[in-house]
Every structure is written in C-alpha cells, then in structure tokens.
Amino acid sequence: MFGIHDLALFVVSGLLLNLMPGPDSLLIMTRSATQGWRAGSAATLGIASGTFVHILGAALGLSAVLAASATAFTVVKLVGAAYILYMAIGLLRSKAQDGVQAPLALAPLPYRKIYAQGFLTNVLNPKVALFFLAFVPQFIDANAPHKALAFIILGCIFNINGTLWCHALALFTGAASRRVKLHPAASLWLKRTTGGLFIWLGVKLALAKQN
C-alpha cells in the first residue's frame, strides 16, 4: 500500500534506533532529572516537532527531484544502503565506555523554553536529515506513484514510535531522578544489535532487484 514494503522491518529498525542513547535522549533524561517528567515531556514534544520538519523537508525535496525518475530514486536507495552499512560498521565498532552516563544538572527553564531547546537540538542536527534521506527510501518502491506520501507515512510512524518511547523515558527518569543512567553494557548491546541488523539490511537492499 502506497508503495511501502517491509513495514514490519521498518518498525523494528526504527524502535531499535529510538532505544539507542543519543543527544535527544540525554536532553530528555537531564530535564526529567532536574525538573520532573513534565519537563522531559516538553523536550520530547520539541524533538518530535523537529523530526516532523526533517520528514516534510526530506519528503518534499525527494519528491521534487525524483518524481519523474525511477532510476534516480534507485540511485538514492543504493547510496542510502551504502550509508546504512557505514553506520552499521560504526555501531559494531562501538566500545562499552561509549555508554550514556547519568544526566548533568541544568538550571530550571520554563516548559516553552525546554520545548524550544528540544526542537532546536533536533532540527539543527544535519545527521537527522541525512538519516531520513538514507533510511526511509529503502522501504519505498522505486515505481511508487506517490513517493512523498509514502515517505511522510513512514516518517510519521517512526516519529510516533520515537515520541512514545521518549515520553516513557521522561516518566521513568523523572521517577528515579539522578540515579537513572543507561549502563554502558546495555548501550553497547543496543548498538551492536542495531549494527548487525543494519549490516543485513544494507546488504539485502544493495543486492535486491529493483522494480
């Protein structure tokens, strides 16, 4: 439907990526630890808003450039597969000491400023835009009639799942305060599991026959 394929694989991959620690999760944990779960949720909503900006920008840009060319879209998919393999190698080479430590204390802020902080943290991160351009097209058929619509649907699924996880992280961190941190061994396990999945996905996509 809508030219989308392997939706279950997309959802699983997205969930693993959302579970991995990064700048967004660190901001949420920090704000939840210092001001409570509502502050973490405010940061989460800002991050989700920033993600929608990346989704819409990537979808519209991709549609404008590639709408008339299935061949060009296939090239984008292959370049994206190569980028996924590059990310996978980096994840597999991760070391245990790369784990996210306990959040640092920050001065309290109004929720609207925390929202803006989450928004800017996400929307100004070029790696997020690059991720969507590389990852999402892998699950859209090259001959799909409405690529932008398929892109937006997949992006929304990814963003909704990520927002639910981030709200849960805010609630959990707020309840446990500063004692919460992701153990380095757990962080390493998540990174290597995701790296292994991405190796398989990248090879599968690179070798797949295009429609």
Side-chain angles (χ1 to χ4, degrees):
M1 186 179 295
F2 302 109
I4 296 171
H5 60 84
D6 294 322
L7 181 59
L9 178 59
F10 175 83
V11 171
V12 171
S13 301
L15 286 173
L16 281 172
L17 284 166
N18 282 313
L19 287 170
M20 288 173 54
D24 289 348
S25 58
L26 182 58
L27 174 64
I28 292 165
M29 291 173 68
T30 300
R31 284 302 173 189
S32 297
T34 56
Q35 289 184 246
W37 68 267
R38 289 181 179 83
S41 289
T44 294
L45 293 175
I47 290 164
S49 299
T51 300
F52 274 125
V53 171
H54 285 297
I55 292 168
L56 291 174
L60 295 176
L62 204 63
S63 177
V65 174
L66 306 175
S69 176
T71 299
F73 191 71
T74 298
V75 170
V76 169
K77 286 167 69 78
L78 290 174
V79 172
Y83 178 68
I84 287 171
L85 287 172
Y86 171 77
M87 287 195 302
I89 292 171
L91 290 169
L92 290 173
R93 295 179 63 186
S94 298
K95 297 180 180 180
Q97 58 263 35
D98 293 335
V100 175
Q101 300 301 317
L104 300 174
L106 290 178
L109 288 176
Y111 292 155
R112 60 183 176 80
K113 290 189 176 181
I114 296 174
Y115 171 90
Q117 190 177 51
F119 178 82
L120 291 174
T121 296
N122 188 276
V123 81
L124 297 179
N125 185 352
K127 290 184 178 180
V128 178
L130 184 58
F131 162 76
F132 278 109
L133 286 171
F135 185 68
V136 176
Q138 309 304 328
F139 300 90
I140 303 174
D141 290 330
N143 294 317
H146 304 291
K147 295 183 181 69
L149 178 59
F151 197 111
I152 291 171
I153 290 171
L154 289 172
C156 287
I157 291 172
F158 179 90
N159 201 14
I160 290 169
N161 288 339
T163 301
L164 291 174
W165 158 249
C166 288
H167 277 302
L169 182 63
L171 285 168
F172 183 64
T173 308
S177 189
R178 300 178 190 276
R179 292 174 295 175
V180 172
K181 68 177 180 179
L182 184 64
H183 193 278
S187 173
L188 180 63
W189 181 87
L190 278 173
K191 289 181 179 181
R192 290 185 174 174
T193 298
T194 306
L197 175 65
F198 274 25
I199 286 284
W200 174 80
L201 178 62
V203 172
K204 174 180 179 291
L205 294 168
L207 298 180
K209 294 182 178 179
Q210 304 297 327
N211 295 327

